[in-house]
Structures are given as C-alpha cells and as structure tokens.
Amino acid sequence: MRTGECGCGNIKIRTNGEPEIRLICHCKSCQKRTGSDYSHNVYFFHEQVEIIGEVKNYTRTAQEDRFLTNYFCPECGMTLYWHMDVLPKITGIAISVFDVDDFDMPEESIWEKFKRPWVEFSLQLKHLHGQSE
Ligand SMILES: [Zn+2]
Ligand SMILES: [Zn+2]
C-alpha cells in the first residue's frame, strides 16, 4: 500500500500492490507535461488505485490517433495520473506523486525515437522505439 499526493496535497492517490509496468517515456507529450526530457511513470490496474479528492481532466490526442486523458489537481495544476484508450484497464501515474525510492527501478524506456541524444541511463532497460508492448 502506498499513498501519494499532488504538489499542494489537495489530491491523494492510494495504490495497492505493485505496479504492472515501471517505465521511462521520451514522447513529446511527456516532455511537454513534465517540462523535462522524459517522464518516469508507474502503471497499475484501475482496481489497485484509489483517488481521493476532486480532479479535473484534459483529453488530448496521443501518438497514432490515440487518446489519453490526464487528471490534474485544480489547485496546484499538477498532473497525477492518466487513462489511455490503448491500455483500457490501466492507470498511469507520475512516479513523482509518490516517494520514488519506494519503487524498484524502471524496466522499460519507451518512445526512444524522441529521446534526447544526451539522455543515457546506467541501468538495464528494455529499449523500445515506440510504445510499450
Ligand atoms: Zn494540488
Ligand atoms: Zn510519454
């Protein structure tokens, strides 16, 4: 059981058990969302996740005409989690919601076709050109 929260503490997320996927994403949308070169995320089944508080959402198009809905705190604006049409049973969560040290290291690095050339990792990763398989 883990509990995390947004920047202002208005929204909390409680998760049960271990994430299905731990990954780093280099896609353009994550670069935009995080203001950084890649995002670090954990993916749980919906039933493992409990959201406490009133979130707002924004749906955007994703790679290859897919859709992704981001859920964010209306007070501090931080995106905490998202739902994707491509993985309908899964909730993606920004690992920064939690204590990052509470998780094992990421296993996959996806959308590497957008990876900044200076970004290198010193851990063993599955490298994917596009989305997670
Ligand atoms: Zn907040
Ligand atoms: Zn991404």
Side-chain angles (χ1 to χ4, degrees):
M1 196 81 132
R2 294 177 176 91
T3 305
E5 61 183 27
C6 64
C8 74
N10 193 33
I11 313 294
K12 300 203 184 327
I13 298 187
R14 220 174 272 149
T15 57
N16 203 347
E18 290 304 311
E20 201 55 24
I21 313 168
R22 302 183 307 274
L23 62 72
I24 280 162
C25 182
H26 304 273
C27 84
K28 299 261 184 209
S29 301
C30 283
Q31 290 172 353
K32 231 182 189 7
R33 174 174 67 76
T34 59
S36 187
D37 294 323
Y38 56 87
S39 66
H40 182 183
N41 313 310
V42 281
Y43 293 78
F44 290 86
F45 287 110
H46 296 320
E47 54 269 26
Q48 291 177 275
V49 180
E50 185 193 351
I51 310 297
I52 303 133
E54 286 281 319
V55 288
K56 282 196 163 185
N57 67 73
Y58 172 72
T59 299
R60 64 163 175 82
T61 51
Q63 284 85 2
E64 290 150 8
D65 293 327
R66 293 179 291 114
F67 288 94
L68 187 150
T69 301
N70 275 318
Y71 295 84
F72 58 93
C73 169
E75 295 299 321
C76 69
M78 179 179 156
T79 296
L80 294 97
Y81 67 100
W82 50 91
H83 293 150
M84 304 145 283
D85 63 342
V86 69
L87 290 173
K89 293 177 180 162
I90 298 277
T91 299
I93 307 177
I95 201 165
S96 53
V97 164
F98 302 102
D99 179 357
V100 178
D101 296 330
D102 240 12
F103 290 89
D104 289 336
M105 287 187 281
E107 298 167 301
E108 288 182 7
S109 167
I110 68 167
W111 290 108
E112 286 203 342
K113 66 175 169 181
F114 301 117
K115 187 167 82 68
R116 302 285 187 224
W118 58 84
V119 172
E120 296 291 341
F121 299 104
S122 60
L123 71 163
Q124 204 71 35
L125 283 168
K126 190 172 162 195
H127 298 278
L128 298 167
H129 194 64
Q131 70 188 61
S132 193
E133 282 149 4

